Amino acid sequence: MRLVPVMLLFGTVASAPGALAQNAVDPSWSAATFGPASGADLLPAQPQALDEIEALQRKAFEKYGPLGIVTMGMDRSEIVVLCDTVGQTFATIAAEETDRDRRIAKFAEVWRFEQRIAEPLEQARKSLGESGYNRTLSKSSESMNLLSMMPDPQLEQDVQAGDELMFVWATTLAARCGQMLDEMGIAKVGGDPPIEYIAAKTRFRYRGADFAEIFADTELGRYADEMCRGGASPDFSGAPLGQRGYEGMSLLDWAIECDDRTSFDALVAAGFDLDAKGLWEDPPLVRTASEKRLWFLRRLLDQGVSPDTMGRTTTALLTASDDLDAINSGGDTKAAFNLLRERGASLNFPNFQDSVWYRWSLHETRWDLILEHWSEFESDPVELASVLEYYLSGDMNWARKETGGAARQVRALLVEEYGVCFPVGKTFHMKNDERGFRIQPDCPKGD
Protein backbone atom coordinates (compact mmCIF):
# COMPACT_ATOMS: atom_id res chain seq x y z
CA MET A 1 0.00 0.00 0.00
CA ARG A 2 1.37 3.39 -1.01
CA LEU A 3 1.35 6.23 1.50
CA VAL A 4 0.98 9.06 -1.01
CA PRO A 5 -2.82 8.72 -1.37
CA VAL A 6 -3.21 9.35 2.38
CA MET A 7 -1.73 12.80 1.96
CA LEU A 8 -3.64 13.46 -1.25
CA LEU A 9 -6.94 12.41 0.28
CA PHE A 10 -6.80 14.64 3.35
CA GLY A 11 -4.84 17.59 2.09
CA THR A 12 -2.28 18.99 -0.27
CA VAL A 13 1.20 20.04 0.68
CA ALA A 14 1.86 23.66 -0.16
CA SER A 15 5.60 23.18 -0.42
CA ALA A 16 7.47 21.49 -3.21
CA PRO A 17 8.74 17.92 -2.69
CA GLY A 18 12.26 19.19 -2.16
CA ALA A 19 11.13 21.33 0.76
CA LEU A 20 9.73 18.27 2.49
CA ALA A 21 13.16 16.74 2.68
CA GLN A 22 14.13 19.19 5.40
CA ASN A 23 14.13 18.22 9.04
CA ALA A 24 10.63 17.80 10.48
CA VAL A 25 11.27 20.42 13.14
CA ASP A 26 13.05 22.92 10.91
CA PRO A 27 11.20 26.26 11.34
CA SER A 28 11.84 27.10 7.69
CA TRP A 29 9.35 24.45 6.60
CA SER A 30 6.27 25.80 4.82
CA ALA A 31 2.97 24.74 6.34
CA ALA A 32 0.79 21.96 5.00
CA THR A 33 -2.52 23.17 3.61
CA PHE A 34 -5.35 20.84 4.62
CA GLY A 35 -8.53 20.64 2.60
CA PRO A 36 -9.91 19.08 -0.57
CA ALA A 37 -7.25 18.78 -3.23
CA SER A 38 -8.11 20.20 -6.65
CA GLY A 39 -7.96 17.98 -9.72
CA ALA A 40 -4.72 19.64 -10.77
CA ASP A 41 -3.13 18.89 -7.40
CA LEU A 42 -4.04 15.22 -7.20
CA LEU A 43 -0.96 13.95 -9.07
CA PRO A 44 2.47 15.53 -9.51
CA ALA A 45 3.43 16.33 -13.08
CA GLN A 46 6.31 13.83 -12.99
CA PRO A 47 6.17 10.24 -11.65
CA GLN A 48 9.58 10.92 -10.11
CA ALA A 49 8.05 13.62 -7.92
CA LEU A 50 5.38 11.17 -6.74
CA ASP A 51 8.06 8.65 -5.82
CA GLU A 52 9.98 11.37 -3.99
CA ILE A 53 6.96 12.35 -1.90
CA GLU A 54 6.24 8.72 -1.08
CA ALA A 55 9.84 8.16 0.00
CA LEU A 56 9.62 11.20 2.30
CA GLN A 57 6.35 9.97 3.72
CA ARG A 58 7.81 6.55 4.44
CA LYS A 59 10.79 8.11 6.15
CA ALA A 60 8.53 10.32 8.30
CA PHE A 61 6.26 7.37 9.12
CA GLU A 62 9.14 5.13 10.12
CA LYS A 63 10.46 7.78 12.47
CA TYR A 64 7.30 9.30 13.96
CA GLY A 65 4.46 7.01 12.87
CA PRO A 66 1.25 8.72 11.67
CA LEU A 67 2.32 11.94 13.41
CA GLY A 68 5.23 12.13 10.98
CA ILE A 69 2.85 12.07 8.01
CA VAL A 70 0.51 14.66 9.48
CA THR A 71 3.32 17.10 10.38
CA MET A 72 5.01 17.00 6.97
CA GLY A 73 5.27 20.64 5.90
CA MET A 74 4.54 22.06 9.36
CA ASP A 75 6.94 24.48 10.98
CA ARG A 76 8.04 24.40 14.61
CA SER A 77 5.20 26.58 15.90
CA GLU A 78 2.54 24.51 14.17
CA ILE A 79 3.99 21.28 15.53
CA VAL A 80 4.02 22.72 19.05
CA VAL A 81 0.35 23.76 18.76
CA LEU A 82 -0.56 20.30 17.46
CA CYS A 83 1.32 18.68 20.34
CA ASP A 84 -0.55 20.92 22.79
CA THR A 85 -3.79 19.63 21.24
CA VAL A 86 -2.45 16.10 21.76
CA GLY A 87 -1.83 17.03 25.41
CA GLN A 88 -5.40 18.25 25.84
CA THR A 89 -6.72 14.98 24.39
CA PHE A 90 -4.33 13.14 26.70
CA ALA A 91 -5.84 14.96 29.71
CA THR A 92 -9.45 14.46 28.60
CA ILE A 93 -9.00 10.71 28.26
CA ALA A 94 -7.10 10.47 31.56
CA ALA A 95 -10.03 12.16 33.31
CA GLU A 96 -12.36 9.34 32.24
CA GLU A 97 -10.43 6.79 34.33
CA THR A 98 -12.74 5.60 37.12
CA ASP A 99 -10.06 4.19 39.44
CA ARG A 100 -8.66 7.06 41.52
CA ASP A 101 -5.11 5.69 41.86
CA ARG A 102 -4.83 5.01 38.14
CA ARG A 103 -6.31 8.43 37.40
CA ILE A 104 -3.62 10.11 39.55
CA ALA A 105 -0.87 8.10 37.82
CA LYS A 106 -2.18 9.10 34.40
CA PHE A 107 -2.38 12.76 35.32
CA ALA A 108 1.21 12.68 36.53
CA GLU A 109 2.15 11.84 32.93
CA VAL A 110 -0.18 14.54 31.63
CA TRP A 111 1.31 17.16 33.96
CA ARG A 112 4.88 16.46 32.86
CA PHE A 113 3.80 16.77 29.22
CA GLU A 114 1.92 20.02 29.89
CA GLN A 115 4.86 21.52 31.75
CA ARG A 116 7.26 20.63 28.97
CA ILE A 117 5.19 22.27 26.27
CA ALA A 118 3.97 25.34 28.18
CA GLU A 119 6.83 27.71 27.32
CA PRO A 120 7.22 26.57 23.67
CA LEU A 121 3.46 27.02 23.25
CA GLU A 122 3.64 30.60 24.50
CA GLN A 123 6.45 31.28 22.04
CA ALA A 124 4.46 29.67 19.24
CA ARG A 125 1.41 31.85 19.97
CA LYS A 126 3.52 34.99 19.79
CA SER A 127 5.15 33.84 16.57
CA LEU A 128 1.86 32.94 14.87
CA GLY A 129 -0.14 35.92 16.04
CA GLU A 130 -3.79 35.68 17.07
CA SER A 131 -5.23 34.90 13.62
CA GLY A 132 -2.40 32.51 12.75
CA TYR A 133 -2.80 30.72 16.05
CA ASN A 134 -6.54 30.28 15.50
CA ARG A 135 -5.93 28.90 12.01
CA THR A 136 -3.34 26.51 13.39
CA LEU A 137 -5.74 25.36 16.09
CA SER A 138 -8.31 24.55 13.42
CA LYS A 139 -5.70 22.64 11.43
CA SER A 140 -4.66 20.77 14.60
CA SER A 141 -8.24 19.62 15.09
CA GLU A 142 -8.30 18.29 11.52
CA SER A 143 -4.97 16.58 12.13
CA MET A 144 -6.32 14.85 15.25
CA ASN A 145 -9.27 13.52 13.24
CA LEU A 146 -6.84 12.17 10.66
CA LEU A 147 -4.59 10.64 13.34
CA SER A 148 -7.56 8.84 14.88
CA MET A 149 -8.09 7.00 11.58
CA MET A 150 -4.48 6.09 10.82
CA PRO A 151 -2.93 2.82 12.07
CA ASP A 152 0.15 3.09 14.27
CA PRO A 153 2.42 0.04 14.59
CA GLN A 154 3.72 1.34 17.93
CA LEU A 155 0.17 1.42 19.30
CA GLU A 156 -0.44 -2.17 18.23
CA GLN A 157 2.81 -3.14 19.94
CA ASP A 158 2.06 -1.27 23.18
CA VAL A 159 -1.53 -2.42 23.75
CA GLN A 160 -1.76 -5.21 26.29
CA ALA A 161 -4.75 -7.24 27.43
CA GLY A 162 -7.02 -5.06 29.58
CA ASP A 163 -5.47 -1.76 28.40
CA GLU A 164 -7.75 1.14 27.55
CA LEU A 165 -7.17 1.66 23.84
CA MET A 166 -7.93 5.39 23.80
CA PHE A 167 -5.47 6.15 26.60
CA VAL A 168 -2.76 4.06 24.94
CA TRP A 169 -3.44 5.94 21.70
CA ALA A 170 -3.10 9.32 23.45
CA THR A 171 0.04 8.14 25.29
CA THR A 172 1.58 6.98 22.01
CA LEU A 173 0.83 10.34 20.34
CA ALA A 174 2.33 12.18 23.32
CA ALA A 175 5.46 10.03 23.04
CA ARG A 176 5.67 10.81 19.32
CA CYS A 177 5.40 14.51 20.14
CA GLY A 178 8.10 13.98 22.76
CA GLN A 179 10.45 12.75 20.01
CA MET A 180 9.87 15.93 18.06
CA LEU A 181 10.29 18.11 21.14
CA ASP A 182 13.60 16.31 21.81
CA GLU A 183 14.83 17.29 18.37
CA MET A 184 13.75 20.87 18.95
CA GLY A 185 15.94 20.90 22.04
CA ILE A 186 12.99 21.31 24.42
CA ALA A 187 14.00 19.76 27.74
CA LYS A 188 11.95 17.05 29.40
CA VAL A 189 10.25 17.75 32.73
CA GLY A 190 10.56 15.33 35.65
CA GLY A 191 9.16 15.19 39.14
CA ASP A 192 5.63 14.89 40.42
CA PRO A 193 2.75 17.33 40.00
CA PRO A 194 1.81 19.58 42.92
CA ILE A 195 -0.93 18.42 45.26
CA GLU A 196 -3.13 21.29 44.09
CA TYR A 197 -2.88 20.12 40.50
CA ILE A 198 -3.79 16.56 41.41
CA ALA A 199 -6.73 17.78 43.48
CA ALA A 200 -8.02 19.94 40.63
CA LYS A 201 -7.35 17.62 37.72
CA THR A 202 -7.99 14.14 39.02
CA ARG A 203 -11.58 14.65 40.06
CA PHE A 204 -13.82 12.24 38.19
CA ARG A 205 -15.45 13.64 35.07
CA TYR A 206 -18.27 12.27 32.98
CA ARG A 207 -17.70 13.01 29.31
CA GLY A 208 -15.39 15.83 30.30
CA ALA A 209 -17.79 17.44 32.79
CA ASP A 210 -17.17 17.57 36.54
CA PHE A 211 -19.73 17.25 39.33
CA ALA A 212 -20.53 20.98 39.32
CA GLU A 213 -21.45 20.92 35.63
CA ILE A 214 -23.35 17.65 35.83
CA PHE A 215 -25.45 18.74 38.79
CA ALA A 216 -25.83 22.43 38.01
CA ASP A 217 -29.22 23.85 39.04
CA THR A 218 -29.77 21.02 41.54
CA GLU A 219 -29.04 20.56 45.23
CA LEU A 220 -26.96 17.46 44.53
CA GLY A 221 -23.61 19.12 43.82
CA ARG A 222 -22.35 19.16 47.40
CA TYR A 223 -23.01 15.42 47.74
CA ALA A 224 -21.42 14.58 44.38
CA ASP A 225 -18.41 16.71 45.37
CA GLU A 226 -17.67 14.29 48.23
CA MET A 227 -18.10 11.20 46.06
CA CYS A 228 -15.64 9.45 43.72
CA ARG A 229 -12.66 10.19 45.98
CA GLY A 230 -11.92 6.65 47.06
CA GLY A 231 -12.82 7.29 50.69
CA ALA A 232 -15.89 7.41 52.89
CA SER A 233 -19.23 8.28 51.37
CA PRO A 234 -21.15 11.47 52.14
CA ASP A 235 -24.01 11.47 54.61
CA PHE A 236 -27.04 11.22 52.31
CA SER A 237 -29.65 11.68 55.03
CA GLY A 238 -31.89 14.51 53.91
CA ALA A 239 -30.45 14.55 50.39
CA PRO A 240 -33.00 15.22 47.61
CA LEU A 241 -32.42 11.83 45.98
CA GLY A 242 -35.20 12.35 43.44
CA GLN A 243 -33.42 15.27 41.76
CA ARG A 244 -31.61 14.72 38.45
CA GLY A 245 -28.71 16.43 36.74
CA TYR A 246 -27.36 16.33 33.19
CA GLU A 247 -29.39 13.97 30.96
CA GLY A 248 -31.14 12.57 34.02
CA MET A 249 -27.97 11.76 35.99
CA SER A 250 -28.78 10.74 39.56
CA LEU A 251 -26.39 10.42 42.47
CA LEU A 252 -26.65 6.65 42.08
CA ASP A 253 -25.67 6.95 38.39
CA TRP A 254 -22.74 9.15 39.45
CA ALA A 255 -21.57 6.47 41.90
CA ILE A 256 -21.86 3.80 39.19
CA GLU A 257 -20.00 5.84 36.58
CA CYS A 258 -17.03 6.54 38.87
CA ASP A 259 -17.15 3.06 40.44
CA ASP A 260 -17.78 4.45 43.94
CA ARG A 261 -19.13 1.32 45.60
CA THR A 262 -19.14 2.79 49.10
CA SER A 263 -21.39 5.67 48.05
CA PHE A 264 -23.57 3.27 46.06
CA ASP A 265 -24.26 1.18 49.16
CA ALA A 266 -24.83 4.33 51.22
CA LEU A 267 -27.40 5.59 48.71
CA VAL A 268 -29.21 2.26 48.81
CA ALA A 269 -29.24 2.43 52.60
CA ALA A 270 -30.58 6.00 52.41
CA GLY A 271 -33.61 4.78 50.51
CA PHE A 272 -32.78 5.59 46.90
CA ASP A 273 -35.56 4.37 44.57
CA LEU A 274 -33.76 1.66 42.60
CA ASP A 275 -36.51 1.46 39.97
CA ALA A 276 -36.52 5.19 39.20
CA LYS A 277 -35.30 6.48 35.85
CA GLY A 278 -31.90 8.08 35.78
CA LEU A 279 -29.23 8.73 33.16
CA TRP A 280 -30.64 8.68 29.62
CA GLU A 281 -34.05 7.86 31.12
CA ASP A 282 -33.00 4.33 32.02
CA PRO A 283 -33.32 2.75 35.48
CA PRO A 284 -30.00 1.69 37.04
CA LEU A 285 -30.45 -2.03 36.32
CA VAL A 286 -30.68 -1.42 32.58
CA ARG A 287 -27.58 0.80 32.54
CA THR A 288 -25.49 -1.60 34.60
CA ALA A 289 -26.61 -4.50 32.41
CA SER A 290 -25.80 -2.58 29.24
CA GLU A 291 -22.36 -1.52 30.49
CA LYS A 292 -21.59 -4.94 32.00
CA ARG A 293 -20.93 -3.44 35.45
CA LEU A 294 -21.38 -6.73 37.19
CA TRP A 295 -20.74 -5.66 40.80
CA PHE A 296 -23.48 -3.02 40.63
CA LEU A 297 -25.80 -5.28 38.64
CA ARG A 298 -25.49 -8.03 41.23
CA ARG A 299 -26.06 -5.52 44.06
CA LEU A 300 -29.26 -4.24 42.43
CA LEU A 301 -30.56 -7.76 41.92
CA ASP A 302 -29.72 -8.58 45.55
CA GLN A 303 -31.87 -5.61 46.55
CA GLY A 304 -34.84 -7.13 44.77
CA VAL A 305 -34.83 -5.17 41.51
CA SER A 306 -36.61 -7.19 38.83
CA PRO A 307 -34.33 -8.85 36.27
CA ASP A 308 -37.09 -8.10 33.73
CA THR A 309 -36.75 -4.34 34.20
CA MET A 310 -37.63 -2.34 31.10
CA GLY A 311 -35.59 0.70 30.07
CA ARG A 312 -36.43 3.60 27.83
CA THR A 313 -36.18 1.49 24.67
CA THR A 314 -35.31 -2.07 25.67
CA THR A 315 -35.15 -4.59 28.49
CA ALA A 316 -32.15 -5.16 30.73
CA LEU A 317 -31.73 -8.68 29.34
CA LEU A 318 -31.76 -7.57 25.72
CA THR A 319 -29.25 -4.77 26.23
CA ALA A 320 -27.06 -7.18 28.24
CA SER A 321 -26.79 -9.40 25.18
CA ASP A 322 -24.91 -6.72 23.22
CA ASP A 323 -21.15 -7.08 22.90
CA LEU A 324 -20.56 -3.45 23.90
CA ASP A 325 -18.62 -2.56 27.06
CA ALA A 326 -17.36 -6.11 27.52
CA ILE A 327 -14.12 -4.69 28.99
CA ASN A 328 -16.10 -3.96 32.19
CA SER A 329 -16.67 -7.69 32.65
CA GLY A 330 -13.18 -8.87 31.80
CA GLY A 331 -14.09 -9.45 28.17
CA ASP A 332 -17.03 -11.77 28.86
CA THR A 333 -19.71 -10.36 26.57
CA LYS A 334 -22.42 -12.60 28.05
CA ALA A 335 -21.57 -12.17 31.74
CA ALA A 336 -24.40 -9.70 32.46
CA PHE A 337 -26.85 -11.70 30.33
CA ASN A 338 -26.00 -14.91 32.20
CA LEU A 339 -26.32 -13.21 35.59
CA LEU A 340 -29.78 -11.88 34.72
CA ARG A 341 -30.83 -15.31 33.49
CA GLU A 342 -29.60 -16.89 36.73
CA ARG A 343 -31.85 -14.45 38.58
CA GLY A 344 -34.90 -15.40 36.51
CA ALA A 345 -34.96 -12.94 33.59
CA SER A 346 -37.53 -14.01 31.00
CA LEU A 347 -36.74 -14.47 27.32
CA ASN A 348 -40.30 -13.36 26.46
CA PHE A 349 -40.62 -9.95 28.04
CA PRO A 350 -42.47 -7.79 27.03
CA ASN A 351 -43.29 -8.46 23.33
CA PHE A 352 -41.65 -10.16 20.38
CA GLN A 353 -39.65 -7.16 19.15
CA ASP A 354 -38.39 -6.51 22.68
CA SER A 355 -37.60 -10.15 23.38
CA VAL A 356 -34.45 -12.18 23.04
CA TRP A 357 -36.29 -14.42 20.55
CA TYR A 358 -36.28 -11.52 18.11
CA ARG A 359 -32.56 -10.90 18.66
CA TRP A 360 -31.68 -14.57 18.32
CA SER A 361 -33.84 -15.07 15.23
CA LEU A 362 -33.39 -11.95 13.10
CA HIS A 363 -30.07 -10.46 14.21
CA GLU A 364 -28.03 -13.46 15.28
CA THR A 365 -29.89 -16.33 13.50
CA ARG A 366 -29.14 -18.55 16.49
CA TRP A 367 -31.85 -21.11 15.83
CA ASP A 368 -29.81 -23.55 17.89
CA LEU A 369 -30.32 -21.33 20.97
CA ILE A 370 -34.02 -20.97 20.20
CA LEU A 371 -34.31 -24.75 19.96
CA GLU A 372 -32.33 -25.21 23.19
CA HIS A 373 -34.68 -22.87 25.09
CA TRP A 374 -37.90 -23.87 23.29
CA SER A 375 -39.61 -24.93 26.51
CA GLU A 376 -39.55 -21.26 27.59
CA PHE A 377 -41.06 -19.90 24.40
CA GLU A 378 -44.18 -17.86 25.17
CA SER A 379 -43.83 -15.16 22.56
CA ASP A 380 -45.56 -14.53 19.21
CA PRO A 381 -45.27 -17.73 17.11
CA VAL A 382 -46.40 -16.04 13.90
CA GLU A 383 -43.78 -13.29 14.17
CA LEU A 384 -41.10 -15.91 14.85
CA ALA A 385 -42.32 -17.96 11.89
CA SER A 386 -42.10 -14.89 9.65
CA VAL A 387 -38.43 -14.40 10.53
CA LEU A 388 -37.81 -18.13 10.15
CA GLU A 389 -39.36 -18.11 6.68
CA TYR A 390 -37.05 -15.25 5.70
CA TYR A 391 -34.06 -17.21 6.98
CA LEU A 392 -35.01 -20.40 5.13
CA SER A 393 -35.54 -18.43 1.90
CA GLY A 394 -31.78 -17.92 1.62
CA ASP A 395 -32.18 -14.14 1.16
CA MET A 396 -30.81 -13.31 4.61
CA ASN A 397 -27.21 -12.63 3.58
CA TRP A 398 -25.91 -12.33 7.17
CA ALA A 399 -27.44 -15.63 8.27
CA ARG A 400 -25.50 -18.43 9.96
CA LYS A 401 -25.78 -21.37 7.60
CA GLU A 402 -24.72 -23.85 10.28
CA THR A 403 -27.97 -23.37 12.23
CA GLY A 404 -30.14 -24.43 9.30
CA GLY A 405 -30.88 -27.85 10.82
CA ALA A 406 -32.09 -26.26 14.05
CA ALA A 407 -34.17 -23.79 12.04
CA ARG A 408 -36.03 -26.60 10.32
CA GLN A 409 -36.74 -28.24 13.69
CA VAL A 410 -38.14 -24.93 14.99
CA ARG A 411 -40.35 -24.76 11.88
CA ALA A 412 -41.77 -28.19 12.67
CA LEU A 413 -42.45 -27.19 16.29
CA LEU A 414 -44.26 -24.01 15.20
CA VAL A 415 -46.55 -26.06 12.95
CA GLU A 416 -47.09 -28.87 15.47
CA GLU A 417 -47.50 -26.86 18.69
CA TYR A 418 -48.93 -23.55 17.47
CA GLY A 419 -50.64 -24.44 14.18
CA VAL A 420 -48.66 -21.85 12.25
CA CYS A 421 -49.17 -22.03 8.47
CA PHE A 422 -46.41 -21.69 5.90
CA PRO A 423 -46.06 -19.53 3.90
CA VAL A 424 -46.73 -17.16 6.76
CA GLY A 425 -48.02 -14.14 4.87
CA LYS A 426 -47.46 -10.47 5.63
CA THR A 427 -47.66 -10.05 9.39
CA PHE A 428 -48.21 -6.29 9.31
CA HIS A 429 -51.61 -6.92 7.67
CA MET A 430 -52.71 -9.28 10.45
CA LYS A 431 -54.84 -8.43 13.46
CA ASN A 432 -53.61 -8.98 17.02
CA ASP A 433 -55.15 -11.02 19.81
CA GLU A 434 -55.53 -9.85 23.43
CA ARG A 435 -51.84 -10.59 24.09
CA GLY A 436 -50.75 -8.54 21.08
CA PHE A 437 -49.80 -11.66 19.06
CA ARG A 438 -50.50 -11.89 15.32
CA ILE A 439 -53.54 -13.88 14.14
CA GLN A 440 -53.30 -15.76 10.84
CA PRO A 441 -56.78 -15.55 9.30
CA ASP A 442 -56.25 -18.79 7.39
CA CYS A 443 -53.34 -20.66 5.79
CA PRO A 444 -51.93 -18.10 3.33
CA LYS A 445 -51.14 -19.23 -0.18
CA GLY A 446 -48.60 -16.51 -0.83
CA ASP A 447 -49.01 -13.43 -3.03
Side-chain angles (χ1 to χ4, degrees):
M1 174 179 146
R2 307 193 79 179
L3 293 177
V4 173
V6 174
M7 203 64 159
L8 296 176
L9 178 62
F10 291 96
T12 59
V13 181
S15 55
L20 294 174
Q22 301 176 61
N23 187 286
V25 294
D26 187 332
S28 66
W29 268 37
S30 56
T33 304
F34 286 84
S38 68
D41 292 332
L42 285 177
L43 290 174
Q46 300 295 329
Q48 182 180 354
L50 184 64
D51 291 340
E52 184 179 350
I53 292 175
E54 183 178 6
L56 292 169
Q57 288 179 336
R58 288 192 180 282
K59 184 177 179 181
F61 188 83
E62 288 169 4
K63 189 171 185 179
Y64 300 114
L67 193 66
I69 301 292
V70 169
T71 55
M72 288 180 69
M74 289 188 183
D75 63 21
R76 173 188 171 116
S77 294
E78 291 172 317
I79 291 173
V80 167
V81 173
L82 175 57
C83 285
D84 179 61
T85 304
V86 168
Q88 293 175 36
T89 303
F90 196 16
T92 299
I93 296 172
E96 298 296 331
E97 171 60 61
T98 58
D99 183 86
R100 180 172 172 77
D101 291 338
R102 289 198 298 267
R103 195 158 69 244
I104 290 173
K106 288 178 178 181
F107 265 104
E109 295 181 55
V110 171
W111 177 80
R112 285 187 280 271
F113 187 86
E114 290 174 344
Q115 292 300 301
R116 185 181 190 186
I117 207 165
E119 186 175 340
L121 178 64
E122 187 61 31
Q123 294 170 355
R125 295 190 66 159
K126 289 179 181 178
S127 173
L128 292 166
E130 183 177 354
S131 61
Y133 174 68
N134 289 333
R135 284 194 302 271
T136 303
L137 274 180
S138 177
K139 186 164 65 178
S140 293
S141 178
E142 294 173 0
S143 297
M144 291 299 291
N145 288 335
L146 177 55
L147 286 165
S148 71
M149 294 183 283
M150 295 176 71
D152 188 335
Q154 186 63 47
L155 175 63
E156 296 171 9
Q157 178 180 323
D158 290 346
V159 172
Q160 305 293 326
D163 282 345
E164 294 174 16
L165 184 59
M166 287 302 294
F167 186 76
V168 177
W169 174 71
T171 304
T172 302
L173 280 182
R176 299 285 195 194
C177 276
Q179 288 178 260
M180 294 185 173
L181 298 178
D182 287 343
E183 295 190 6
M184 293 179 192
I186 299 171
K188 294 180 180 178
V189 172
D192 296 319
I195 295 175
E196 296 78 13
Y197 176 91
I198 290 295
K201 292 286 189 178
T202 62
R203 297 300 306 276
F204 174 73
R205 291 173 177 268
Y206 177 78
R207 298 191 174 185
D210 64 12
F211 73 92
E213 296 168 282
I214 293 293
F215 294 107
D217 303 321
T218 75
E219 300 171 70
L220 302 176
R222 69 184 184 90
Y223 299 99
D225 183 20
E226 297 179 42
M227 297 168 63
C228 309
R229 293 175 178 264
S233 70
D235 179 1
F236 292 113
S237 57
L241 301 181
Q243 291 186 9
R244 297 293 184 267
Y246 168 80
E247 296 294 353
M249 177 83 79
S250 69
L251 287 178
L252 195 77
D253 291 319
W254 188 247
I256 293 168
E257 291 299 327
C258 72
D259 200 29
D260 187 346
R261 301 179 182 188
T262 303
S263 291
F264 179 92
D265 281 342
L267 284 163
V268 172
F272 191 96
D273 182 355
L274 301 180
D275 293 314
K277 293 180 181 179
L279 188 60
W280 310 115
E281 297 184 33
D282 278 328
L285 189 92
V286 174
R287 288 202 56 75
T288 53
S290 172
E291 297 176 4
K292 316 296 186 291
R293 298 180 183 270
L294 300 183
W295 186 91
F296 295 101
L297 180 60
R298 187 173 287 105
R299 220 35 154 218
L300 290 165
L301 292 168
D302 289 344
Q303 290 295 319
V305 178
S306 170
D308 288 326
T309 295
M310 181 73 185
R312 182 173 59 89
T313 61
T314 188
T315 64
L317 187 67
L318 197 60
T319 193
S321 67
D322 287 333
D323 290 344
L324 300 176
D325 296 308
I327 191 172
N328 291 330
S329 58
D332 185 350
T333 61
K334 298 302 180 185
F337 180 92
N338 292 337
L339 176 58
L340 288 167
R341 287 286 289 160
E342 289 171 11
R343 300 300 182 92
S346 171
L347 298 173
N348 301 298
F349 180 83
N351 56 53
F352 184 73
Q353 280 73 26
D354 289 322
S355 71
V356 175
W357 305 112
Y358 185 68
R359 171 69 60 84
W360 283 349
S361 61
L362 182 63
H363 297 288
E364 299 180 13
T365 63
R366 291 298 304 271
W367 300 101
D368 55 330
L369 289 178
I370 292 175
L371 188 62
E372 179 184 342
H373 295 280
W374 187 251
S375 62
E376 297 180 63
F377 183 75
E378 295 177 3
S379 194
D380 191 327
V382 177
E383 289 281 13
L384 181 64
S386 179
V387 178
L388 176 58
E389 189 170 60
Y390 181 28
Y391 171 83
L392 292 174
S393 72
D395 294 334
M396 191 183 283
N397 56 18
W398 65 90
R400 297 171 185 260
K401 304 302 183 187
E402 66 271 20
T403 62
R408 286 184 283 275
Q409 291 183 62
V410 171
R411 185 186 190 280
L413 288 167
L414 285 167
V415 173
E416 178 184 343
E417 297 183 12
Y418 292 94
V420 175
C421 299
F422 287 88
V424 177
K426 300 184 184 302
T427 57
F428 54 84
H429 288 322
M430 298 176 186
K431 295 181 179 180
N432 298 335
D433 64 16
E434 66 280 359
R435 299 167 299 173
F437 293 176
R438 301 292 189 182
I439 303 172
Q440 282 184 302
D442 51 29
C443 287
K445 303 301 181 185
D447 295 330

